[in-house]
Amino acid sequence: MDNVIDQSGILAISTRLQRLSDALRKEGQLIYQSFGIQFEPKWFPVVYTLHLKTSMSVVEIANEIGYAHPSTISLLKELEKQQIIKSKKDKTDERKRLIVLTTKGKALVDAMKPVWNNMEKALVQIADNKNNLMEAIIEAEEKLKESSFLVRSQKIRQ
Amino acid sequence: MDNVIDQSGILAISTRLQRLSDALRKEGQLIYQSFGIQFEPKWFPVVYTLHLKTSMSVVEIANEIGYAHPSTISLLKELEKQQIIKSKKDKTDERKRLIVLTTKGKALVDAMKPVWNNMEKALVQIADNKNNLMEAIIEAEEKLKESSFLVRSQKIRQ
DNA sequence: TAAATTTATGTAGGAAACTACGTAGATTTG
DNA sequence: CAAATCTACGTAGTTTCCTACATAAATTTA
């Protein structure tokens, strides 16, 4: 609480969330490196999803990870370049591309499991305090689903 | 908790933080609009800082709001274009630019005070749950200051 | 079953932050 | 006090997401 933005409190919450997100992602990158693994934190949602669900279309992945589909497409392009995933046309629906992990991708996931385990422990240290950050995020998202920031603002205004 | 990323839990925390940040910023924009005020949420840190501290250099503002200085410079450019701030050379140090709110900028701040008040109430509704999001952020940032994500990872690894 | 609509994917470009690097003025040091 | 270093500011380009729009295939409807 030593600068103006901290003092302005909750109004700068969007900025604070982003700052923290950036810091964790950048350090995540360094941790993968320290384990000698070539993997970027931004790839995690796609790869984690595919490792659980085997074969999915682009839009299915996008919905699953909560991203817009063009963002997902660009992640998939990077992962295809790294030969972590591959895709084939869906035979029953010509519009769809079915995405799967390659053999290399599956091996990478196995190699990353201890890293994920390690990161998870470190993240629990960081996020589990008097207030649990992950739970706080989930609770806030639930509140937003109930009634958006805008709608709440309008109700308060009346 | 209805998709894979929610289930993957804390490993996707960076993604979750960013998603929430984006959602709040976008809705913040709509709220300013709904009050008929032409103001962008990203300008808040700079303007709020200047409204408290009167006259500051570029780097002072950047440090105060916790941004890199080039980010601050581009915000200042936008604010100057909107005639919300203006700048003049520091006479005692030719390198420095002293930034101040214009008359229009000060009037805008006064007009925004009720909006900020309204937003604050809505944000408290959203963020204050079993776990308080703002406090959770502050606590997590304090933990990171004590010892970074990377260092914690390395200690756990041993 | 042809026309309208919906769904899946893709491209282009934007937003809000960042890092890397360069220059010029101020300060410190040998 | 000249040289080296530091500080302030600026530009260029990057990152990681987004929205808007386009096209083609599938599905629904009249």
Side-chain angles (χ1 to χ4, degrees), chain A residues 21-56:
Chain A
S21 167
D22 274 23
L24 292 175
R25 191 173 15 74
K26 277 172 194 160
E27 286 209 78
Q29 210 158 9
L30 296 178
I31 294 174
Y32 283 119
Q33 278 172 27
S34 81
F35 275 85
I37 285 175
Q38 207 197 325
F39 193 77
E40 308 218 6
K42 68 174 161 178
W43 295 339
F44 175 79
V46 171
V47 170
Y48 188 86
T49 298
L50 282 173
H51 129 264
L52 287 184
K53 298 248 182 143
T54 318
S55 164
M56 301 176 81

Side-chain angles (χ1 to χ4, degrees), chain B residues 28-43:
Chain B
Q29 211 158 9
L30 297 178
I31 294 173
Y32 283 117
Q33 278 172 27
S34 80
F35 275 84
I37 285 176
Q38 206 197 326
F39 193 77
E40 308 218 5
K42 67 174 162 179
W43 295 338

Side-chain angles (χ1 to χ4, degrees), chain A residues 34 53 67 80 116 132 156 158:
Chain A
S34 81
K53 298 248 182 143
Y67 280 16
E80 198 148 22
W116 289 347
N132 183 295
I156 289 163
Q158 281 162 10

Side-chain angles (χ1 to χ4, degrees), chain B residues 59-108:
Chain B
V59 169
E60 276 167 5
I61 295 172
N63 290 338
E64 203 64 32
I65 68 178
Y67 280 17
H69 82 269
S71 314
T72 307
I73 288 171
S74 89
L75 292 174
L76 289 172
K77 264 187 195 155
E78 291 178 28
L79 288 165
E80 197 148 22
K81 201 170 174 185
Q82 299 288 322
Q83 297 178 296
I84 292 169
I85 61 125
K86 64 186 174 189
S87 65
K88 53 173 188 252
K89 271 239 169 330
D90 185 330
K91 277 162 196 162
T92 65
D93 187 339
E94 283 287 311
R95 295 168 307 174
K96 283 189 188 173
R97 248 173 82 199
L98 293 180
I99 317 293
V100 289
L101 289 178
T102 60
T103 308
K104 184 184 165 190
K106 284 175 195 159
L108 181 63

Side-chain angles (χ1 to χ4, degrees), chain A residues 25 40 42 66-68 70-71 92-95:
Chain A
R25 191 173 15 74
E40 308 218 6
K42 68 174 161 178
Y67 280 16
S71 313
T92 65
D93 187 338
E94 282 289 310
R95 296 168 306 175

